[in-house]
Amino acid sequence: MVKNRREMLAGYVDGELSDEERQAFEAALAQDPELRAELEEFKRLQEVTGVMQYADLPDEVWDNYWQSIYRKTERGFGWILLSLGAIILLCFGLYEVMRELYVDSQIPLWVKIGVTAGGVGFIILLVSYIRERLFAYNRTRYKEVIK
Amino acid sequence: MISEGNDKTMDTDMALVTEIRKGDKKAFAELVERHKKTAFRIALGLVGNKDDAFDISQEAFLRVYRSASTYDEKQPFQPWFYTIIANLSRTWLRRRSRRENRMVDLDDVSWLLVDNRTPEAAVINKEKVADLRQALKELSFEDREIIMLQHFRGMSYDEIAQLLSIPKGTVMSRLYYARKKLAGLMRLKNGEK
């Protein structure tokens, strides 16, 4: 049983009330001119929305719909491969730079310490960020769909 | 439900998502074919622009494809899919509009049209149609959503309750307040003329 008579108005207009609710609502309607005015307003609203429909798209757009999505899924795979390749190359480059840095006796110690501190700081921040994202990922249902 | 169908349709949707998880593109193509027009119309009702609704519907399918592995098989497909479309629409509106989650006026009056096949269409006041179109744009996202599902998708309260994961009483209550606001906005526009 719906408590609020005014809220029942929506159900009455749409024929969604049970017999008991409908009878109770009609009894209230007979005694309440404001409620009757609201009912008329809702009916007028339905008259307008009843003749409206959403626009459609031309057939050729629908014919090409799947192809467009398919191309995007392929591009997604391409991006994954590209990112993977870039990460591998970046890691290798960093390894080479760090190796040169520590082997080369010409480079002052304070530069080596500075670069090491910066590198360790970056790794800590990266790990922390990844951990936070994983934490949120494991606790959110349908996480991919929420932006 | 949001797409025309029955329990069998729902079972098939879930089976298709299970196949998509395994990387089956044919299953994905079938799922797209089944729901593409519905996805477009729902997005259109939420954002009020055909081009953007088209992009949102496509992005929604890509999300389904990418996140099929996280789909909870115990839950029906359509509420999950609807959530994806609604979230994408919300994000789009937030980016485009200063007023949070409100439609922006992109001069696209062709997103909501008079259905000339109905006998009532011949006598409908064209100004009222324009007022309705504009008033819908001014509603909040949640109000427009419930109006769209009931008035334009023709869904029952039970179907809306299932889709939005809310009690039937809440559907009734939300519809009442959304209609009140919509009627108020239309009255206001009528009074302004």
Side-chain angles (χ1 to χ4, degrees), chain B residues 178-191:
Chain B
R179 281 176 181 161
K180 278 293 283 179
K181 283 180 205 162
L182 187 60
L185 283 166
M186 288 183 70
R187 217 170 31 234
L188 196 69
K189 290 183 187 310
N190 207 30

Side-chain angles (χ1 to χ4, degrees), chain A residues 116-130:
Chain A
T116 305
V120 171
F122 176 75
I123 289 166
I124 290 171
L125 288 174
L126 188 67
V127 169
S128 171
Y129 175 75
I130 291 170

Side-chain angles (χ1 to χ4, degrees), chain A residues 50-54 56, chain B residues 41 113-122:
Chain A
V51 298
M52 304 291 279
Q53 63 168 7
Y54 289 129
D56 204 349
Chain B
R41 285 178 191 137
L113 305 163
V114 175
D115 183 357
N116 288 314
R117 290 168 302 179
T118 57
E120 295 84 2

Side-chain angles (χ1 to χ4, degrees), chain A residues 14 38 41 51 65 141, chain B residues 57 72 113 115 157 176 187:
Chain A
D14 298 323
E38 275 191 287
E41 192 167 49
V51 298
Y65 192 88
R141 205 167 176 208
Chain B
S57 70
D72 183 352
L113 305 163
D115 183 357
Y157 286 15
Y176 170 77
R187 217 170 31 234

Side-chain angles (χ1 to χ4, degrees), chain A residues 28-109:
Chain A
L29 197 63
Q31 294 172 353
D32 189 342
E34 270 187 41
L35 197 58
R36 286 200 294 276
E38 275 191 287
L39 177 63
E40 287 309 308
E41 192 167 49
F42 277 20
K43 282 182 177 172
R44 282 197 297 275
L45 189 63
Q46 269 197 328
E47 280 172 18
V48 184
T49 59
V51 298
M52 304 291 279
Q53 63 168 7
Y54 289 129
D56 204 349
L57 296 169
D59 287 344
E60 56 266 30
V61 175
W62 292 121
D63 292 342
N64 295 325
Y65 192 88
W66 163 247
Q67 284 305 320
S68 172
I69 290 184
Y70 184 75
R71 280 194 294 272
K72 285 176 185 171
T73 60
E74 279 182 328
R75 261 178 243 152
F77 186 61
W79 276 111
I80 290 170
L81 287 180
L82 188 70
S83 306
L84 195 67
I87 289 168
I88 290 169
L89 289 176
L90 190 70
C91 288
F92 178 72
L94 277 173
Y95 169 75
E96 285 295 311
V97 167
M98 296 301 266
R99 199 164 60 93
E100 287 294 319
L101 184 77
Y102 291 111
V103 168
D104 193 345
S105 56
Q106 303 280 22
I107 297 172
L109 182 63

Side-chain angles (χ1 to χ4, degrees), chain B residues 59-125:
Chain B
E59 182 59 28
F61 282 114
L62 289 171
R63 298 281 170 115
V64 168
Y65 184 70
R66 288 180 200 139
S67 55
S69 60
T70 65
Y71 172 65
D72 183 352
E73 286 178 339
K74 291 174 200 145
Q75 303 296 326
F77 169 74
Q78 297 206 11
W80 182 58
F81 188 49
Y82 178 81
T83 307
I84 294 175
I85 298 170
N87 283 336
L88 285 168
S89 301
R90 260 196 205 97
T91 306
W92 182 90
L93 290 170
R94 212 174 284 140
R95 282 183 190 155
R96 295 290 174 95
S97 172
R98 281 185 216 157
R99 291 174 300 172
E100 192 154 303
N101 289 336
R102 302 264 169 107
M103 284 185 186
V104 282
D105 195 353
L106 297 175
D107 295 329
D108 182 3
V109 292
S110 61
W111 66 282
L112 189 61
L113 305 163
V114 175
D115 183 357
N116 288 314
R117 290 168 302 179
T118 57
E120 295 84 2
V123 293
I124 197 76
N125 184 332

